[in-house]
Amino acid sequence: MSDINGLFSAMRISASGMRAQRIKHGVITSNLANAETTRTPEGGPYKREFVVFEADGRDSMIGMREEKGLSTTATHQNHAVIPARRYSLYDLEAGQGVRVAEIRKDSKEARMQYDPSHPDANEEGYVALPNINIIEEMTDMINASRAYEANVTAFNATKQMMMSVFQ
């Protein structure tokens, strides 16, 4: 039965990767859509956004220990002591997914382009454009797509393993 739980855990991890990459893809798409936006409600040009990922250890043993304050050496005076050495480092780190920690605005300066006919041009004729590099965004989008596909492949492989367990 623990093998099935491990397979469900693997599917949850793959799903967390797909969810995180989908969010990253949406942020990149927003950056591309606003690559020429010179006015925002906050004032000034659009600022590039990027996603910060972090390990989601809520389902792992480390996450359980941190969230619930459990120890692998002693839980209660009437309970059996579980020696910490029983678990290898691999076991303690297994089962971590990923989640989006935050979406940050890039602090790089706006690109300045000379265009005195633009309605947002300053007195010298320069327009402040978003700090977005299209090539960098497209590279990030390809990476996000590849990571999403890798998670789909891992999810499907786990599903196949689960199907073979039931046959």
Side-chain angles (χ1 to χ4, degrees):
M1 191 63 181
S2 65
D3 290 339
I4 294 293
N5 288 336
L7 292 176
F8 280 123
S9 176
M11 292 174 87
R12 259 194 318 273
I13 292 167
S14 296
S16 75
M18 286 187 276
R19 182 176 43 251
Q21 295 302 330
R22 182 185 51 80
I23 292 170
K24 181 178 181 180
H25 196 275
V27 168
I28 293 167
T29 303
S30 177
N31 288 339
L32 290 171
N34 287 292
E36 300 292 327
T37 301
T38 56
R39 295 182 194 169
T40 61
E42 300 86 30
Y46 178 85
K47 290 202 176 261
R48 178 183 180 267
E49 295 179 333
F50 62 96
V51 175
V52 178
F53 293 139
E54 70 180 9
D56 185 3
R58 286 181 293 183
D59 295 331
S60 71
M61 294 186 69
I62 292 173
M64 288 172 42
R65 283 192 344 203
E66 291 173 355
E67 288 181 8
K68 299 181 180 180
L70 298 177
S71 169
T72 55
T73 55
T75 56
H76 187 271
Q77 64 183 6
N78 295 330
H79 293 168
V81 174
I82 302 169
R85 289 176 286 193
R86 182 175 174 189
Y87 300 102
S88 70
L89 185 61
Y90 173 78
D91 290 336
L92 292 174
E93 292 182 353
Q96 292 189 355
V98 64
R99 67 178 165 191
V100 173
E102 64 182 305
I103 298 172
R104 287 189 190 164
K105 292 206 182 277
D106 195 335
S107 61
K108 282 192 269 183
E109 294 292 320
R111 293 181 294 128
M112 299 302 286
Q113 181 176 357
Y114 184 73
D115 185 3
S117 64
H118 196 283
D120 293 328
N122 62 15
E123 301 86 35
E124 299 166 350
Y126 286 94
V127 180
L129 295 171
N131 55 356
I132 296 172
N133 180 334
I134 300 293
I135 294 170
E136 185 179 311
E137 297 300 321
M138 292 304 294
T139 303
D140 283 350
M141 182 178 284
I142 290 168
N143 286 338
S145 295
R146 299 268 191 239
Y148 186 90
E149 290 170 7
N151 280 296
V152 168
T153 301
F155 187 90
N156 287 334
T158 306
K159 188 171 75 176
Q160 285 295 91
M161 291 172 68
M162 191 175 281
M163 294 296 286
S164 67
V165 167
F166 289 124
Q167 290 178 351

